[in-house]
Amino acid sequence: MKILVSAKRVSDPNAKLAIAKDGKWIEGDVEYILNPFCENAIECALQIAEANEGTETVAIGIGDDETARFIRQGALARGIDRGILVSAEEASIDSDLIARIYQGVVHREKPDIVLLGKQAIDGDSNQVGQLLAEYLGWPQATFASKVEVSGNKAIVTREVDGGLETLEVSLPCVITADLRLNEPRFASLAGIMKAKKKPFDELEIDDLDLEDTDTKVQIVGLSTPSGRKAGVIVKDVTELVQKLRSEARAI
Amino acid sequence: MPLSQDEIAFLANVRRWVERDVAPNVTAWDEAGAFPRALYMKAADVGVLAVGFPESVGGVGGSARLRVALQREICRPGSGGLLAGLFSHGIAAPPIVALGSQEQQSRLLPGILSGDKIAALAVTEPSGGSDVANLRTTAVRDGNIFRVNGQKAFITSGMRADVLTVAVRTGGPGASGVSILIVEGNPKGLTRAPMQKMGWWCSDTAILTFEDVEVPAENLIGELGFGFLGLMQNFNGERLGLAAAAWAFSEECLAEAVDWAQARETFGKTLISRQVVRHQLVEMKMRIEAVRALLYEVAERMDMGEEPVADVCMLKNLATETLEFVAGKCVQILGGSGYIRGGKTERIFRESKVLSIGGGASEILTDLAARQLGW
Ligand SMILES: Cc1cc2nc3c(=O)[nH]c(=O)nc-3n(C[C@H](O)[C@H](O)[C@H](O)COP(=O)(O)OP(=O)(O)OC[C@H]3O[C@@H](n4cnc5c(N)ncnc54)[C@H](O)[C@@H]3O)c2cc1C
């Protein structure tokens, strides 16, 4: 079996971001982390590989040298077998092009499962897995909180509003990982050092023979949230209840 | 030698692991008197148990600087007990690395470094710890075994250890009569009793009594009478580690005190706005920075292959004295809150003294430094 898994870097949610002068991207000394949902996807791939001997796992990232570092340290160092970087400028690609890039890589690699994070915590688009499944014509199971692979099918439990849904999808398929899928392991120093020696391919978008490389979404502008209004101090519970009822209309 | 990119990435992982799996639990573990045994295996998975051990025995190597930086991460929750217990192999295993045969190393070390086996070092005795060369526990050769009799005290992880590195007297008086034996499992004649302590509650500490305990002769580590040498190999590394811990805990206390001083108002103004408080905070910061600077200098010299014994002694004393000073002052700044269980500063205060006693008591190290300096 072969599993393709995503390794996207995202800006650290704890970092203070500044908006670039053109108002369309972020700038400055941005700290990055591996997208937490990708960490769940990677852990899931490793667990499937550990349970199914002979499974090959491949991590893919789209971006520059920094992204390559996250593929190595976030995926290969944890135990993923090899890495692929598709060079692109992150500011100039959208979910659709990312899905098509994945499609191109899938045509080259022919995996049985593509495991992605359900979304990236910077853009929060939540589209790539779904678009990819559509372009490939493969079944999809998104927001997975449990994945079991047996034979040529996967049983996936999804977290949906008000409960759980269990799907059986035939392979090949696309699965996207939710946070409760697992508890990602950490890469050890030995793992980090080994990762440098693992096979690593760098591709250009042009290498993938995509029919369509247009972006369909453009960022028109970014703005910071407006500052929070100052709170009010109430005298007693009666006043609190009254304000909640008449002003906040919360009760 | 600055830390490599790989090492920095590893330390970031350690920090996340400590934040996620360790820090939220240390107070509960302290109150329960133990951390779960499974934590050893988790720590091994994260890769922290293997740091400082050579690759030939399943470790990942690692400079003194890396060990200091790792210590800093492990100490963030402010629990000395966690550090002592989780890393008791850090003093129990090096003699096996230094003096053990190939066979002994491959039999004993993998289980320890994978976290499956807990290791403890048993040197100190009820009759004394500073004067190691005069230890009294005896091991007498009888065919294929050594018969061990005596008592060990204050042994960290002694209650749970699967592998005990025990210093015994196999020969005449003095250092040249000391050897090291490995006692595995729970042999007949070995009894363990817990000791209740001022701090380090989540780390067990034991009195071990050996009554005619039979230890296979193949568990002699190194040559007969060369045990003292094996123990000495530990000293610089152990003392550097203790100094790093004292530094890290000082920083943790100070951070808590600064936060508190910024938030706490008395007589209509924040504590930190008072000159007397600000100056105390700076006094502490100044001493902590001096410790940090010496710590990294000594670590760097060790990485260049030096064995700066006197400097390590002075460093450990400076670091632990600083911790005692800082922890006391920080409890004072926190006021009554600093005396209530559950916060870092309260715990660190209770755990400051042990660092001035274990791994060579301050007076002993001062005297050793004097002799090393030729005075
Ligand atoms: C929590 C804890 C965990 C420990 N873990 C371990 C462990 O895992 N393994 C282990 O083997 N040991 C362990 N120890 C023991 C520790 O190493 C000893 O306590 C330490 O070496 C001091 O020995 P002692 O307690 O016998 O004190 P003593 O040697 O009796 O000394 C008492 C005091 O007298 C001072 N003193 C002694 N001789 C002189 C002198 N000639 N001149 C001036 N002053 C002197 C000492 O500095 C000290 O202040 C642990 C101790 C504690 C408290």
Side-chain angles (χ1 to χ4, degrees):
Chain A
M1 190 164 25
K2 190 187 224 180
I3 304 174
L4 200 64
V5 65
S6 61
K8 180 190 174 352
R9 67 165 194 178
V10 293
S11 48
D12 185 338
N14 297 316
K16 281 210 176 71
L17 300 179
I19 294 172
K21 280 206 191 66
D22 67 0
K24 295 182 180 174
W25 201 243
I26 50 172
E27 67 170 7
D29 225 355
V30 185
E31 291 278 328
Y32 290 93
I33 62 168
L34 189 63
N35 179 34
F37 295 110
C38 290
E39 293 191 308
N40 295 109
I42 289 165
E43 178 64 34
C44 183
L46 292 171
Q47 287 180 12
I48 295 171
E50 280 158 4
N52 296 275
E53 214 180 308
T55 301
E56 187 188 20
T57 52
V58 185
I60 153 167
I62 304 170
D64 56 15
D65 287 353
E66 268 295 290
T67 303
R69 190 163 68 82
F70 279 88
I71 299 171
R72 284 212 170 82
Q73 291 179 354
L76 307 194
R78 283 183 160 102
I80 297 290
D81 298 318
R82 59 192 179 84
I84 298 175
L85 172 74
V86 181
S87 301
E89 202 190 322
E90 279 170 280
S92 64
I93 50 178
D94 63 2
S95 302
D96 187 70
L97 181 52
I98 292 168
R100 289 178 192 278
I101 291 172
Y102 268 95
Q103 183 191 13
V105 176
V106 167
H107 282 147
R108 291 170 71 106
E109 293 287 335
K110 307 204 169 19
D112 302 279
I113 302 174
V114 181
L115 251 166
L116 310 170
K118 73 167 181 180
Q119 67 197 63
I121 63 161
D122 50 3
D124 272 342
S125 304
N126 183 347
Q127 294 186 358
V128 174
Q130 295 87 333
L131 286 167
L132 174 64
E134 171 66 22
Y135 293 150
L136 291 169
W138 287 7
Q140 59 175 297
T142 53
F143 305 171
S145 63
K146 193 167 170 219
V147 175
E148 272 174 74
V149 176
S150 67
N152 62 346
K153 59 178 199 282
I155 315 284
V156 180
T157 305
R158 312 178 59 223
E159 296 196 347
V160 293
D161 276 348
L164 299 174
E165 179 185 52
T166 304
L167 299 181
E168 184 183 301
V169 286
S170 56
L171 305 190
C173 69
V174 176
I175 298 173
T176 73
D178 210 334
L179 216 51
R180 277 167 292 277
L181 175 56
N182 50 42
E183 194 170 89
R185 68 193 67 183
F186 291 98
S188 67
L189 185 53
I192 292 169
M193 293 190 315
K194 258 189 237 151
K196 288 198 291 201
K197 298 192 188 109
K198 290 188 175 180
F200 196 93
D201 292 318
E202 290 186 27
L203 301 176
E204 300 296 328
I205 294 179
D206 287 346
D207 298 333
L208 297 171
D209 298 327
L210 305 183
E211 284 166 22
D212 175 3
T213 56
D214 293 343
T215 52
K216 280 88 182 170
V217 176
Q218 276 172 14
I219 295 175
V220 182
L222 295 173
S223 60
T224 50
S226 50
R228 256 181 46 183
K229 283 202 212 113
V232 282
I233 292 179
V234 294
K235 191 164 78 258
D236 51 23
V237 175
T238 320
E239 192 189 339
L240 174 67
V241 172
Q242 189 209 330
K243 279 195 187 293
L244 284 175
R245 193 166 283 144
S246 62
E247 289 177 28
R249 295 186 193 285
I251 52 175
Chain B
M1 199 181 30
L3 296 173
S4 69
Q5 283 290 327
D6 288 357
E7 290 170 335
I8 291 168
F10 165 65
L11 291 167
N13 285 344
V14 174
R15 185 186 289 214
R16 285 182 62 203
W17 174 66
V18 170
E19 254 169 35
R20 190 186 79 184
D21 292 356
V22 180
N25 301 313
V26 288
T27 300
W29 290 338
D30 249 359
E31 296 294 338
F35 59 82
R37 216 189 139 103
L39 194 69
Y40 287 99
M41 275 170 283
K42 278 198 183 179
D45 286 343
V46 179
V48 298
L49 299 189
V51 171
F53 289 90
E55 283 170 47
S56 57
V57 302
V60 287
S63 60
R65 285 181 71 106
L66 176 65
R67 278 180 285 136
V68 169
L70 174 62
Q71 197 93 313
R72 180 72 194 87
E73 296 306 330
I74 303 291
C75 289
R76 278 186 202 281
S79 172
L82 176 90
L83 185 75
L86 196 57
F87 290 89
S88 55
H89 79 298
I91 48 176
I96 306 175
V97 176
L99 301 182
S101 66
Q102 272 292 320
E103 184 277 325
Q104 288 169 328
Q105 296 194 0
S106 50
R107 179 158 56 88
L108 297 165
L109 294 171
I112 295 173
L113 296 183
S114 66
D116 291 302
K117 296 218 159 139
I118 300 176
L121 176 71
V123 177
T124 307
E125 304 188 344
S127 58
S130 301
D131 190 4
V132 177
N134 278 320
L135 60 88
R136 298 178 185 177
T137 299
T138 56
V140 178
R141 182 81 186 238
D142 182 358
N144 280 337
I145 58 143
F146 282 99
R147 207 178 298 283
V148 180
N149 280 288
Q151 228 175 19
K152 296 289 174 184
F154 308 114
I155 305 311
T156 299
S157 295
M159 293 304 293
R160 300 201 282 196
D162 308 291
V163 178
L164 290 166
T165 304
V166 189
V168 291
R169 182 161 305 285
T170 49
S176 61
V178 175
S179 302
I180 295 176
L181 287 180
I182 299 295
V183 176
E184 289 176 272
N186 267 315
K188 206 164 140 261
L190 169 64
T191 48
R192 313 176 188 226
M195 301 176 95
Q196 303 296 329
K197 309 181 292 297
M198 183 190 288
W200 283 16
W201 296 338
C202 71
S203 147
D204 70 74
T205 306
I207 293 201
L208 305 175
T209 306
F210 297 83
E211 286 169 301
D212 285 330
V213 174
E214 297 186 0
V215 180
E218 71 216 34
N219 280 13
L220 173 72
I221 297 290
E223 284 176 51
L224 209 62
F226 279 80
F228 200 73
L229 204 72
L231 297 176
M232 278 173 54
Q233 310 266 354
N234 258 353
F235 289 152
N236 275 348
E238 179 185 9
R239 287 166 190 164
L240 182 81
L242 291 168
W247 162 62
F249 291 143
S250 302
E251 286 208 327
E252 293 301 328
C253 280
L254 180 62
E256 243 183 23
V258 169
D259 281 351
W260 177 264
Q262 279 167 338
R264 184 72 168 179
E265 285 187 18
T266 63
F267 305 98
K269 280 169 79 178
T270 56
L271 278 183
I272 203 155
S273 67
R274 312 282 177 187
Q275 193 182 51
V276 67
V277 174
R278 294 152 62 83
H279 286 194
Q280 281 186 45
L281 294 174
V282 171
E283 171 78 27
M284 289 191 264
K285 178 83 178 154
M286 182 179 78
R287 297 193 192 197
I288 293 170
E289 289 301 296
V291 169
R292 185 183 56 78
L294 185 59
L295 184 60
Y296 276 101
E297 196 209 78
V298 170
E300 202 164 311
R301 287 175 58 189
M302 287 169 71
D303 286 338
M304 310 230 288
E306 284 182 52
E307 291 199 17
V309 174
D311 301 82
V312 172
C313 290
M314 293 186 289
L315 165 67
K316 188 198 167 229
N317 283 357
L318 183 71
T320 55
E321 254 170 41
T322 301
L323 176 60
E324 288 192 35
F325 174 81
V326 168
K329 280 256 183 285
C330 288
V331 171
Q332 191 72 18
I333 289 174
L334 264 66
S337 304
Y339 200 70
I340 300 303
R341 257 149 69 171
K344 280 191 218 178
T345 302
E346 182 270 342
R347 181 170 49 232
I348 292 172
F349 177 71
R350 268 189 292 107
E351 297 183 341
S352 58
K353 203 70 226 175
V354 64
L355 296 179
S356 306
I357 295 171
S362 306
E363 296 75 12
I364 302 301
L365 296 189
T366 302
D367 200 59
L368 175 57
R371 275 180 283 133
Q372 286 283 322
L373 292 165
W375 298 342

